[in-house]
Amino acid sequence: MLRITLAQMRRSSGRLAAAGIAIVIGTAFVAATLLAGDVVTRTTYDSIAARYADADLVVGATIEDPVTDVAALGEVDGVDSVAPMSASYAELSAGARSVFQTIIPTADDRLMPMVATVGSMPTQDDEIALPQDVAERLGVETGERINLNRSVPAEDGSWEQVTVRPVVVGILDDPYGAYSQTGGAAVVDADTFATWRAEENGGEVGAEEVAVAVSPGADVAAVQAALATAVGGTTDPEDARWVVPTDERAATVAASLTGGQDLVFLIFVLTFAAIALVVAGLVIANTFQVLVAQRARTLALLRCVGANKAQVGRGVLTEAAILGAVASVAGVLLGTALGQGALWVAGAMDLPVPLPDSITLTWQVVVIPVLVGTLVTVGAALVPARVATRVAPLAALRPADAPSASRRAGRVRLVLSMLTAVLGFALLGLGAALGTVAQEPTFGVLAGIAGGALSFVGVAVGAVFWLPKVAALAGRLVGASGPTARLASANTLRNPRRTATTSTALLIGVTLVAMMSTGAASARTSLTSALDEQFPVDVEVSSSTYDEEGARTALSDGLRADVSSVADVAAITDLTDVSLGVPDIVDPDGEPVSVDFTALDPGAAREVLNAPDHIDGLAPGTALLGYTNAESLELADGDRLTLTGADGTATFSVAVNEVEPYVNYLAADDLPQVQAGTVVTDMYVALADSADAAGTVATIQDVVSDSGESAQVTGIAVQRAMYDEVIDTVLAIVLGLLAVAVVIALIGVANTLSLSVIERRKESATLRAIGLSKSQLRGMLAIEGLLIAGVGAVLGIVLGLVYGWGGSAAALGIMGDVTLTVPWLDVTLVLVVALAAGLVASVAPARTALKASPVEALAAD
Amino acid sequence: MDTTVFVPVTDTDTPDTGRLAVRARGLTKTYGSGEAQVRALDGVDVDFAEGRFTAIMGPSGSGKSTLMHLLAGLDSATAGQAFLGSTEITGLGDKALTRLRRDRVGFVFQQFNLLPMFTARDNITLPLELAGAKADREWFDTLVRTLGLDQRLEHRPSELSGGQQQRVAIARALIAQPEVVFADEPTGNLDSRSGAEVLSFLRRSVRELGRTIIMVTHDPAAAAYADRVVLIADGRIAGEITDPTPEAVLAGLDALRSLEGPVADDAAQAGA
Ligand SMILES: Nc1ncnc2c1ncn2[C@@H]1O[C@H](COP(=O)(O)OP(=O)(O)OP(=O)(O)O)[C@@H](O)[C@H]1O
Ligand SMILES: [Mg+2]
């Protein structure tokens, strides 16, 4: 039987290869993920271990009871040198530039991770060595002096700044990334360091950790024991004082640093690998389904000559196992190559973290993907294998229809999938309601996730029933356009199961992509509108000094002009703060109250505000009151309000601001009626949409500080840009990971098409004989590809939008009105990619189909 | 080889109408090369008159199908010329050949070759659709009535009997009113009654609808429906019988066999 299986595999090798690629990609994904997880762990460990340089042992103590006499440890037998693992911090400055820097003491070469590339390590108390990029940032070279500011406690308990001016004697490199997380470390002489630390801590302090280099040739274990005795500890790291080998210590620190986050990362990425494998499984299932159908005759013949059902089924499964194993091994190889390639590229990119030169192949990296890949392949072939056992021996004698799974199972499946889908969508709706109406995001999100997962299972499992109907509808639409399209749509529908599986594979990826894009877009919009409400303008520049009367001073015309001429500043508008009396309303003491107003030009302000509804209702002759203020003044829309200023009294009609509680606005044109000679105290600045917010805000800040005026620059632009960037980055990563599933599904589309073409060889020949031109045949297959891919993509997008909205409503409802956004760009992109891939997928099958000469139509088979 | 024939053939065999639908001159086809080379057709000269029903007969492997493929523009000749009406089809490009097959030639296959996903009606009108032409209602009705398919138009091929499927295939071949219909063993997959039905339809379409039909067959009874039988052996025209009867055809075939026994055997083996 194995011989027959192998022979059949050889005959179908082309067909199996395409399916195998799906598994190759899926397992490569898994392998690369495992490798990446390993690299992350190792990089963390390496940079921790690097701090100990070439230390053999680490002595540790508690904060409460540190090792005070570090030098004494150096006297222990077999110890070459010791160095306390302490760091301090100081502000370094040169000219106008300053950096906050980690500082470590000098140590014996074997215990010093930093190396001096220019000059030397400091030896005097007025010397310092700087990391290269710090020296560059400060713009200093060796021989120059810098300011070093330390905070030391003063007599009265406050902190005092102490400045010294050490000379730079060395420029340092951090070859192993020991201090990469803190931007390198500056080095000062060990004695000086100890003195400073004593000053800063109000007395001599010991070290919590001491790195120890053992003399060459000494027995490390013996030294470890001797040191333990010397410090009054043991070799057990759980104890109060301990002495352990360096690598053990580094591993412990690395583990506590990542806090299991590396595992979270691994699980996160592996989830996407799992999705990719599910999609690959669908492609495999489809391929075997078709292979079994095409081999029905052969299988029946085998049954005729005495093979039993089990043998036939086992044959299919053996084939799957072989394919799975071969493809998985290829996948591991590909994944390993990709991992190594990525390391090379990253290594060449000069990242601050030194990455390992090569990946390490652990047994998990090899065994897990191969096992998973093989299992998925065999699992996917289970149904086709069962179908194969149903081929009756009789089928060898008559041209029977392709064997298929039983009808009864079909009905059960239909009912179950419908129930699951309905229940799932109900749960999703509940989640959205919980999030928006009940403001319970935690339960909302839980219900949303459960509902989403459940309904998607229902939708995917039931796809075989409804997807062909959708395809039929789409087919009818395109079919109206001509005979080629009609042929194509009829072809798409003749194997509903096949079309459904192929489209479902694509549906999964596209749904997730659309869901993530929609979720991200909704999150962005909701966040932005929440931010806009709190802070309606990109940047605000406010005068921060007061005159003798307690009124804020003016922003100069020059400053305003300078700010408005900063590149990427789109518009500015001036604001004037005034305090006006209200003669009609008195406080409990009988004094007329006064109310603060901000006067601005409503038209110009609307151009500048991110949320123009912030000043809705403001017009000349109107006083727009914050809703809380209006309430306390007992004023409502349409009431009359008389205001008195230094230069007159005027009556305004009241409008209540519905979004802003405290700020009251007047139109700038009305101001002279009550108070002339006012000054501009603030300005609102709008940035261009394309602006680099952080950079532009920094420039505005510079302009303000250069002006010498005291003004404060605030605004939401920087935060918004930061949020946007976080969302964009997360989205990009997630989409990148999902792309693998989409690619596999697209391979599936190509595979299905070529399988169909092989099956329809004779039919293509007939069509060519009765007058179908080559380009029409090509067009027919192109439309088939477009239909399969398009239906999967469009349905996926629709589902993704529903899920994205449901999820956003559940999670973001608490933030206020959830804006349901359609990420048009992403959606269009997904659709275009899917359609283009559908089109491309038809090219190779079309070439095969065209090889069938019309003569074949006449040949008997 | 001895070209002694049962009934002498002349190049100037002029049929009743006087016009020729299909002509072959020195038509040659070889397959393969070197040792394995097979000369399937060897300089065939033959004419087929318009409005006639011609059967091509000969031993298995004698080149009947090959001749038909070349005459219909399905395959390219190694040497010689083939004409459809006044068009020389040897040497036409794929585009021109496709258009020719669509507009001027009809096919009936042994295995029917209907498209399983289309109804009988759709199958019949498919060639017109491919050409982007409208079906001539009257002609369609005439065909369907003549072929007795009125009640079966909305059925799919899987719901039709073999004879009915072949009748649909004939309707499909005739719908575009082609100049010639080629049929390769159209009754090969049918029982004798359905076969007889199909053959009488073919004959009626020649007699009543004025079509030209060229049919390859192995069955002397089938050949007897034709107006004329062309005998072919070992890639050459070996004779012809006009107004054939089953007995005459049988006698003709026997004569061929006795003349070329060993060769025919070889060819039969090669064909098997
Ligand atoms: N594609 C091919 N490649 C090689 N040889 C071929 C090919 N097609 C036909 N032949 C050879 O050409 C010769 C004529 O074949 P053809 O199919 O025309 O015979 P036929 O008269 O139709 O036979 P049958 O009655 O069995 O259908 C045979 O010897 C056959 O082996
Ligand atoms: Mg033949």
Side-chain angles (χ1 to χ4, degrees):
Chain A
M1 204 56 207
L2 184 64
R3 209 171 42 78
I4 297 173
T5 305
L6 289 177
Q8 273 184 340
M9 282 190 83
R10 220 169 300 124
R11 271 197 57 187
S12 325
S13 55
R15 282 162 249 188
L16 289 172
I21 292 175
I23 287 292
V24 170
I25 296 179
T27 46
F29 194 171
V30 176
T33 308
L34 294 175
L35 284 170
D38 184 54
V39 166
V40 169
T41 314
R42 225 148 36 92
T43 308
T44 317
Y45 169 84
D46 285 351
S47 93
I48 305 273
R51 292 195 186 181
Y52 300 99
D54 283 335
D56 301 294
L57 296 167
V58 181
V59 178
T62 56
I63 300 189
E64 298 80 34
D65 182 19
V67 179
T68 40
D69 196 355
V70 173
L73 296 180
E75 305 304 318
V76 173
D77 249 4
V79 172
D80 185 15
S81 55
V82 292
M85 298 295 294
S86 12
S88 181
Y89 306 91
E91 192 195 19
L92 309 181
S93 64
R97 309 190 205 180
S98 72
V99 287
F100 196 70
Q101 189 57 46
T102 304
I103 297 180
I104 58 169
T106 49
D108 186 81
D109 275 355
R110 287 179 64 193
L111 299 176
M112 167 54 69
M114 311 286 290
V115 291
T117 50
V118 177
S120 60
M121 285 292 180
T123 50
Q124 315 277 326
D125 65 356
D126 68 339
E127 292 179 351
I128 190 167
L130 299 178
Q132 172 138 19
D133 56 332
V134 171
E136 274 167 19
R137 236 178 304 155
L138 293 176
V140 294
E141 288 171 22
T142 49
E144 292 182 44
R145 288 194 182 271
I146 58 167
N147 289 326
L148 188 153
N149 303 312
R150 296 182 295 123
S151 302
V152 288
E155 303 282 299
D156 60 355
S158 71
W159 290 87
E160 200 180 316
Q161 290 285 319
V162 177
T163 305
V164 290
R165 286 181 56 76
V167 60
V168 179
V169 293
I171 302 296
L172 305 174
D173 186 25
D174 183 6
Y176 307 106
Y179 290 93
S180 59
Q181 269 118 338
T182 54
V187 177
V188 298
D189 168 58
D191 294 334
T192 315
F193 183 87
T195 318
W196 287 359
R197 238 168 89 85
E199 279 173 27
E200 285 159 17
N201 291 287
E204 197 73 33
V205 282
E208 277 166 67
E209 264 188 80
V210 180
V212 179
V214 172
S215 309
D219 176 9
V220 175
V223 177
Q224 184 183 6
L227 278 171
T229 319
V231 297
T234 64
T235 55
D236 177 3
E238 300 292 320
D239 273 333
R241 287 195 165 191
W242 40 258
V243 183
V244 296
T246 309
D247 47 359
E248 188 183 315
R249 177 61 189 159
T252 314
V253 177
S256 70
L257 254 191
T258 50
Q261 271 176 19
D262 44 353
L263 193 67
V264 174
F265 159 81
L266 207 60
I267 292 174
F268 172 75
V269 183
L270 282 179
T271 310
F272 292 94
I275 293 168
L277 278 171
V278 166
V279 173
L282 283 174
V283 174
I284 297 283
N286 223 10
T287 307
F288 276 94
Q289 203 90 259
V290 176
L291 281 181
V292 166
Q294 289 177 354
R295 285 184 199 154
R297 275 262 170 135
T298 320
L299 293 174
L301 254 170
L302 282 173
R303 294 293 316 274
C304 276
V305 300
N308 62 27
K309 283 189 172 201
Q311 281 174 315
V312 170
R314 229 179 298 132
V316 175
L317 291 182
T318 312
E319 195 170 342
I322 295 174
L323 173 68
V326 170
S328 303
V329 169
V332 171
L333 289 178
L334 178 67
T336 314
L338 284 178
Q340 183 62 61
L343 267 190
W344 278 331
V345 172
M349 278 195 327
D350 196 26
L351 297 178
V353 195
L355 292 167
D357 292 332
S358 65
I359 48 173
T360 9
L361 275 183
T362 53
W363 65 267
Q364 291 100 324
V365 171
V366 178
V367 172
I368 293 177
V370 170
L371 217 58
V372 171
T374 312
L375 281 180
V376 165
T377 316
V378 173
L382 279 178
V383 172
R386 203 157 48 94
V387 171
T389 62
R390 291 225 184 81
V391 176
L394 202 64
L397 308 174
R398 60 177 160 83
D401 283 341
S404 70
S406 77
R407 295 222 164 263
R408 199 168 44 81
R411 197 148 320 131
V412 173
R413 182 178 178 164
L414 175 63
V415 173
L416 273 182
S417 67
M418 262 172 46
L419 278 178
T420 324
V422 169
L423 193 70
F425 281 118
L427 254 177
L428 182 67
L430 179 70
L434 276 176
T436 47
V437 183
Q439 300 277 305
E440 282 280 4
T442 320
F443 292 113
V445 167
L446 278 181
I449 290 178
L454 208 58
S455 59
F456 194 58
V457 167
V459 165
V461 170
V464 70
F465 303 105
W466 58 268
L467 225 154
K469 302 218 164 63
V470 180
L473 192 71
R476 216 166 301 134
L477 290 180
V478 301
S481 71
T484 320
R486 217 162 76 82
L487 277 169
S489 75
N491 279 333
T492 317
L493 296 181
R494 53 206 282 191
N495 286 304
R497 183 175 286 267
R498 196 181 300 175
T499 305
T501 317
T502 313
S503 293
T504 307
L506 191 58
L507 180 83
I508 293 176
V510 171
T511 301
L512 292 173
V513 166
M515 175 178 92
M516 292 299 170
S517 309
T518 310
S522 298
R524 195 196 320 260
T525 321
S526 298
L527 268 177
T528 310
S529 62
L531 289 177
D532 285 350
E533 248 161 55
Q534 281 175 11
F535 221 108
V537 68
D538 286 339
V539 177
E540 184 174 357
V541 180
S542 321
S543 156
S544 57
T545 49
Y546 296 83
D547 60 20
E548 311 79 63
E549 284 152 38
R552 286 202 286 145
T553 54
L555 294 175
S556 72
D557 290 348
L559 175 60
R560 276 149 58 205
D562 286 348
V563 169
S564 67
S565 62
V566 167
D568 279 335
V569 165
I572 67 168
T573 193
D574 297 333
L575 279 69
T576 301
D577 273 2
V578 285
S579 191
L580 298 173
V582 185
D584 299 345
I585 302 176
V586 292
D587 64 12
D589 301 333
E591 294 288 315
V593 298
S594 78
V595 178
D596 289 337
F597 278 91
T598 298
L600 44 69
D601 172 1
R606 279 194 186 95
E607 299 294 306
V608 169
L609 291 172
N610 288 320
D613 64 351
H614 196 73
I615 52 165
D616 264 359
L618 181 62
T622 309
L624 181 64
L625 300 181
Y627 58 81
T628 307
N629 297 347
E631 211 172 289
S632 59
L633 294 172
E634 292 173 6
L635 289 168
D637 270 337
D639 287 352
R640 310 295 293 172
L641 175 66
T642 305
L643 297 173
T644 311
D647 300 299
T649 299
T651 301
F652 295 86
S653 129
V654 169
V656 177
N657 197 333
E658 280 166 16
V659 292
E660 166 60 45
Y662 300 114
V663 182
N664 309 309
Y665 289 104
L666 276 184
D669 289 347
D670 291 337
L671 202 53
Q673 296 177 31
V674 286
Q675 189 154 340
T678 53
V679 294
V680 173
T681 49
D682 307 77
M683 57 199 225
Y684 283 169
V685 180
L687 304 187
D689 286 339
S690 59
D692 154 30
T696 312
V697 170
T699 315
I700 294 177
Q701 233 140 14
D702 290 349
V703 166
V704 169
S705 36
D706 288 351
S707 75
E709 292 176 42
S710 325
Q712 214 181 338
V713 179
T714 52
I716 208 65
V718 174
Q719 266 110 311
R720 197 206 320 259
M722 215 171 63
Y723 281 129
D724 270 359
E725 200 178 307
V726 169
I727 292 177
D728 283 345
T729 312
V730 171
L731 184 66
I733 293 172
V734 169
L735 292 188
L737 295 172
L738 284 175
V740 179
V742 175
V743 166
I744 295 179
L746 292 174
I747 291 176
V749 173
N751 197 27
T752 303
L753 273 185
S754 44
L755 289 169
S756 305
V757 161
I758 294 168
E759 219 171 36
R760 300 200 308 244
R761 230 182 133 72
K762 182 148 187 177
E763 197 176 298
S764 304
T766 306
L767 283 167
R768 291 275 293 126
I770 65 174
L772 190 77
S773 69
K774 279 188 178 176
S775 52
Q776 278 177 316
L777 184 59
R778 243 183 251 123
M780 177 181 94
L781 286 165
I783 295 175
E784 277 183 53
L786 286 177
L787 263 178
I788 297 178
V791 167
V794 168
L795 290 174
I797 286 169
V798 171
L799 266 181
L801 285 178
V802 171
Y803 288 138
W805 288 341
S808 306
L812 303 173
I814 191 94
M815 291 180 53
D817 283 346
V818 177
T819 327
L820 300 184
T821 322
V822 180
W824 286 114
L825 186 69
D826 301 21
V827 162
T828 316
L829 199 69
V830 169
L831 193 62
V832 168
V833 166
L835 289 179
L839 210 57
V840 171
S842 75
V843 171
R847 197 166 305 141
T848 319
L850 284 174
K851 265 195 227 130
S853 106
V855 176
E856 286 182 36
L858 297 138
D861 56 6
Chain B
M1 172 169 307
D2 191 340
T3 48
T4 315
V5 289
F6 178 61
V7 174
V9 188
T10 52
D11 270 354
T12 49
D13 167 48
T14 346
D16 305 345
T17 55
R19 297 255 301 271
L20 292 179
V22 174
R23 269 186 308 150
R25 286 296 173 269
L27 206 54
T28 302
K29 176 80 183 176
T30 53
Y31 288 111
S33 58
E35 286 285 294
Q37 198 179 52
V38 180
R39 220 172 169 77
L41 280 186
D42 190 5
V44 167
D45 296 324
V46 68
D47 296 339
F48 298 92
E50 223 171 57
R52 299 285 298 267
F53 184 5
T54 314
I56 301 178
M57 295 202 74
S60 191
S62 54
K64 306 181 292 295
S65 297
T66 307
L67 176 62
M68 224 184 69
H69 297 163
L70 295 187
L71 294 178
L74 289 175
D75 209 349
S76 56
T78 312
Q81 295 166 298
F83 298 87
L84 182 68
S86 54
T87 317
E88 183 186 346
I89 58 178
T90 35
L92 282 185
D94 181 76
K95 275 223 175 83
L97 281 177
T98 303
R99 205 171 322 117
L100 180 123
R101 286 199 298 269
R102 197 162 68 192
D103 302 335
R104 299 175 59 188
V105 177
F107 291 97
V108 180
F109 308 95
Q110 182 175 353
Q111 263 105 4
F112 324 140
N113 290 11
L114 298 178
L115 296 190
M117 66 280 192
F118 285 156
T119 60
R121 177 195 299 279
D122 290 341
N123 264 294
I124 294 172
T125 53
L126 189 61
L128 290 177
E129 258 196 77
L130 292 179
K134 268 244 151 295
D136 177 347
R137 266 241 69 90
E138 219 169 295
W139 177 239
F140 180 85
D141 289 341
T142 313
L143 270 179
V144 166
R145 212 174 329 105
T146 319
L147 289 163
L149 288 170
D150 328 39
Q151 305 305 313
R152 290 281 176 273
L153 285 176
E154 303 313 324
H155 294 245
R156 284 176 201 274
S158 57
E159 298 157 349
L160 296 174
S161 76
Q164 285 164 343
Q165 287 187 55
Q166 197 59 305
R167 269 142 56 195
V168 172
I170 293 170
R172 178 176 71 183
L174 292 171
I175 189 72
Q177 311 216 18
E179 291 165 34
V180 191
V181 172
F182 292 97
D184 197 350
E185 303 184 41
T187 55
N189 273 7
L190 297 176
D191 64 46
S192 54
R193 234 200 70 207
S194 312
E197 257 179 11
V198 164
L199 288 163
S200 49
F201 288 128
L202 286 178
R203 185 163 60 187
R204 276 176 70 190
S205 54
V206 172
R207 299 275 153 81
E208 295 169 21
L209 310 173
R211 301 294 101 195
T212 307
I213 294 181
I214 300 170
M215 168 181 83
V216 168
T217 182
H218 279 288
D219 178 6
Y225 282 82
D227 301 319
R228 164 186 176 226
V229 174
V230 172
L231 294 172
I232 189 167
D234 200 25
R236 295 166 197 231
I237 302 296
E240 72 162 56
I241 306 162
T242 29
D243 298 323
T245 59
E247 295 71 29
V249 174
L250 216 50
L253 285 174
D254 280 345
L256 269 187
R257 231 163 255 145
S258 58
L259 281 170
E260 309 179 11
V263 181
D265 269 1
D266 278 354
Q269 265 161 19

